[in-house]
Amino acid sequence: MYYFCPTMPKFFIKTYGCQMNERDSEQVAHSLVTRGYERVAEETEADVVLLNTCSVRDMADQKALGKMGMLGRIAKERPHVVFGFLGCMAQARGASLLKNLPHVDLVVGTQKFHRVADYVEELVVRKREVVAGVSDHGHKRMDDVRFSMVDIAEERGSQETIREQQLAPRQATAFVSIMQGCNMHCTFCIVPQTRGAERSRSIDEIVREVRDLVACGVKEVTLLGQIVNLYGRHEFPKVDSKSPFVQLLEAVHEIDGVKRLRFTSPHPIGFRDDLIDAFGRLPKLTEHVHLPLQSGSNKILKAMHRTYTAEKYVDLVRRIRRAHDGIAITTDIIVGFPGETEDDYKQTRDLVQQIQFDNAFIFRYSPRRDTPAAEMPKQIEERVKEERNQDLLRIVNESTRCAGERLVGREVEVLCEGLSKTNPARLMGRTRTNKIVVFEGDEKLAGEILDVRIQRANGFSLYGTPVAPV
């Protein structure tokens, strides 16, 4: 006999990929919690299991597919459970995801997160009815009944629907999605296909969301967009020579209760004088810029359709650093892009050594179907990609270590985010330059801003002691 729980369902959601995916997952979680669903930390406890997927790299696809495959065991043991794919991979693959995973009930694309709760609710009811029927009539098997929902259609105005999220107790940081989509069409990237064209929310709507977050105790806000500094360029006019994005930064900066303001990820071509100037005149705007480089070779940048040169990138870094002393710059780099010669890689290596990034995320090029780069000649062997990846990591790790060492003995402002994930006996927080600091103190400090004296640096983390007794 099949067993299912007649109470309000419990749900589990796992997120793959970027911070935008994390933000979308929180929107889904909020919509389910407001309907009485309970969020749980383990899929084995859940009546609804959702995987919010990423398609930027093949590894993310394979992880999500592998995870869902393993969940088939739960489907056999607990046939009332609803299983669903959300997000970028769902958008890209659609109904084909149902072919080899018969227990999957739901596939929802990137413009329909606000509809997930409705679909889940309907599927929960239908599956419970079927399970109850099977229990009452033993001649019928669950395998004989299958129903699924697939929604990957475009939806006008979907950018305005990502405006609520589920906050944890004493949560002091939050992400705010300000736009969806991308028009840049980098040759390695599938995002324009999975998230559509650029669409921006209104400044008033974003300000309203931030005010609500501040009322719940949030002190640091990170504005999210696929290319965040191109916000509103098609919808809103410049005012006093300021781009819509800078206008938005000013509007959020004026909100009482906002202590820190961040944004990610920008594109070099969207960094104009008005945005660089903002770092010198908006004190809540933190001293950290994540500025994707991708390659230090102009030949490869052109093949990637990145629309800037290595020289222009270096000049931009110089102007950003000149605008605010001590600003931290991090980046993304792809090694092994089709056609990347040893000389091309050396140009990237030399540029990384020259700039001395505070940190960098280095990726081996991964072909994505339906992207121009996947069809380019002179694809690079995996062995070469790995060698370049490891070589560049050594350089980045050294510059990261030096950036941390420079802070030893100094006092830094830290926003405490709560218990350290790697050492629950200690607290962790971030500096204004987005460096992780681990320190001792009472858990009640979560959500507070305090000064910490850095005593030592270890890899990517700093360790210190609060300046005032706590």
Side-chain angles (χ1 to χ4, degrees):
M1 179 175 291
Y2 294 122
Y3 169 80
F4 65 95
C5 179
T7 59
M8 285 303 293
K10 300 175 180 179
F11 74 94
F12 168 86
I13 184 166
K14 182 175 180 61
T15 308
Y16 298 86
C18 66
Q19 291 163 321
M20 293 186 72
N21 284 15
E22 294 283 357
R23 177 64 189 87
D24 292 334
S25 291
E26 290 309 310
Q27 170 73 18
V28 172
H30 175 84
S31 62
L32 289 170
V33 168
T34 56
R35 297 185 186 214
Y37 288 52
E38 178 187 349
R39 188 171 188 172
V40 294
E42 300 292 336
E43 61 264 30
T44 52
E45 303 173 13
D47 306 295
V48 178
V49 178
L50 303 172
L51 304 184
N52 191 8
T53 60
C54 172
S55 279
V56 171
R57 289 175 296 279
D58 184 62
M59 182 62 73
D61 271 18
Q62 297 310 314
K63 283 183 178 180
L65 290 168
K67 179 71 171 179
M68 187 62 81
M70 290 188 290
L71 292 172
R73 170 182 53 81
I74 297 178
K76 291 182 178 180
E77 297 171 354
R78 307 174 68 218
H80 72 284
V81 175
V82 171
F83 296 90
F85 279 121
L86 314 177
C88 291
M89 188 179 74
Q91 184 73 38
R93 301 197 180 198
S96 67
L97 289 168
L98 304 174
K99 185 176 180 181
N100 298 317
L101 295 165
H103 58 287
V104 173
D105 308 292
L106 181 64
V107 178
V108 178
T110 57
Q111 298 187 30
K112 298 299 180 80
F113 288 106
H114 58 293
R115 301 196 182 277
V116 170
D118 290 335
Y119 295 150
V120 164
E121 202 153 57
E122 182 175 345
L123 286 166
V124 165
V125 171
R126 287 168 66 181
K127 292 200 82 169
R128 284 184 171 183
E129 288 175 349
V130 170
V131 171
V134 170
S135 297
D136 293 339
H137 305 91
H139 64 279
K140 190 176 185 181
R141 299 185 309 115
M142 278 295 296
D143 292 344
D144 299 328
V145 183
R146 186 181 185 188
F147 36 75
S148 56
M149 296 182 179
V150 178
D151 188 354
I152 59 173
E154 293 184 8
E155 182 163 337
R156 188 179 181 88
S158 62
Q159 72 273 18
E160 296 288 356
T161 65
I162 308 298
R163 58 178 181 264
E164 297 173 316
Q165 55 187 297
Q166 196 65 28
L167 297 176
R170 301 182 68 84
Q171 182 174 329
T173 65
F175 295 104
V176 175
S177 180
I178 68 171
M179 62 191 297
Q180 290 182 335
C182 179
N183 290 359
M184 294 307 295
H185 296 283
C186 298
T187 57
F188 55 80
C189 186
I190 198 174
V191 167
Q193 291 98 301
T194 60
R195 287 192 174 266
E198 289 175 15
R199 317 175 297 287
S200 299
R201 300 171 64 190
S202 69
I203 289 179
D204 288 346
E205 178 63 26
I206 295 166
V207 166
R208 190 176 303 116
E209 180 181 346
V210 174
R211 283 191 177 128
D212 289 343
L213 291 169
V214 168
C216 294
V218 168
K219 294 180 179 178
E220 177 182 292
V221 171
T222 301
L223 305 181
L224 291 180
Q226 203 64 48
I227 299 185
V228 70
N229 54 339
L230 297 184
Y231 162 85
R233 61 175 174 161
H234 300 302
E235 296 95 336
F236 314 123
K238 286 187 175 182
V239 175
D240 297 329
S241 299
K242 296 173 185 174
S243 67
F245 183 61
V246 171
Q247 295 171 46
L248 174 62
L249 290 177
E250 291 176 338
V252 175
H253 189 276
E254 290 300 310
I255 298 174
D256 289 337
V258 172
K259 303 298 183 184
R260 288 181 176 183
L261 177 58
R262 302 184 187 274
F263 59 85
T264 197
S265 284
H267 191 291
I269 69 164
F271 253 96
R272 304 298 172 89
D273 289 342
D274 61 333
L275 179 52
I276 295 173
D277 177 65
F279 282 93
R281 62 183 180 82
L282 299 180
K284 295 179 183 179
L285 189 57
T286 59
E287 299 80 43
H288 171 231
V289 175
H290 185 74
L291 190 66
L293 167 64
Q294 306 305 3
S295 176
S297 161
N298 288 337
K299 183 192 83 177
I300 298 299
L301 287 172
K302 184 176 181 180
M304 290 177 167
H305 194 221
R306 288 297 289 176
T307 67
Y308 55 86
T309 64
E311 291 78 13
K312 287 183 177 179
Y313 185 94
V314 171
D315 181 64
L316 176 57
V317 169
R318 178 187 60 79
R319 290 190 292 132
I320 292 172
R321 285 175 167 166
R322 190 172 60 189
H324 200 299
D325 185 47
I327 198 165
I329 297 182
T330 56
T331 196
D332 296 331
I333 301 169
I334 296 172
V335 296
F337 188 81
E340 183 186 69
T341 64
E342 282 298 327
D343 183 63
D344 293 319
Y345 170 67
K346 183 178 184 300
Q347 291 176 49
T348 299
R349 191 181 194 274
D350 291 346
L351 191 147
V352 170
Q353 285 184 312
Q354 174 187 348
I355 291 178
Q356 290 291 295
F357 292 104
D358 287 65
N359 200 357
F361 298 99
I362 302 170
F363 307 100
R364 290 169 292 177
Y365 170 71
S366 173
R368 309 308 295 130
R369 63 179 184 178
D370 301 324
T371 60
E375 305 301 322
M376 288 180 178
K378 299 181 181 178
Q379 299 283 330
I380 307 301
E381 294 180 16
E382 290 301 321
R383 173 187 58 81
V384 175
K385 293 179 188 178
E386 179 62 18
E387 288 173 356
R388 293 174 183 174
N389 184 68
Q390 293 302 320
D391 180 56
L392 205 55
L393 272 175
R394 285 190 288 272
I395 296 171
V396 169
N397 288 344
E398 178 62 17
S399 65
T400 299
R401 185 191 66 79
C402 290
E405 290 288 350
R406 285 194 292 269
L407 294 176
V408 173
R410 294 175 54 183
E411 294 180 12
V412 296
E413 179 190 284
V414 174
L415 174 57
C416 180
E417 296 181 15
L419 296 178
S420 168
K421 293 180 181 178
T422 57
N423 185 355
R426 294 184 176 182
L427 301 173
M428 67 78 61
R430 293 179 188 270
T431 67
R432 290 177 60 89
T433 55
N434 207 37
K435 293 178 174 59
I436 295 173
V437 180
V438 179
F439 56 98
E440 293 184 357
D442 195 299
E443 191 176 353
K444 293 179 181 179
L445 284 173
E448 298 299 321
I449 294 177
L450 62 155
D451 290 330
V452 176
R453 180 174 289 109
I454 303 302
Q455 296 172 317
R456 63 185 177 94
N458 181 16
F460 299 106
S461 297
L462 304 170
Y463 296 85
T465 302
V467 175
V470 295

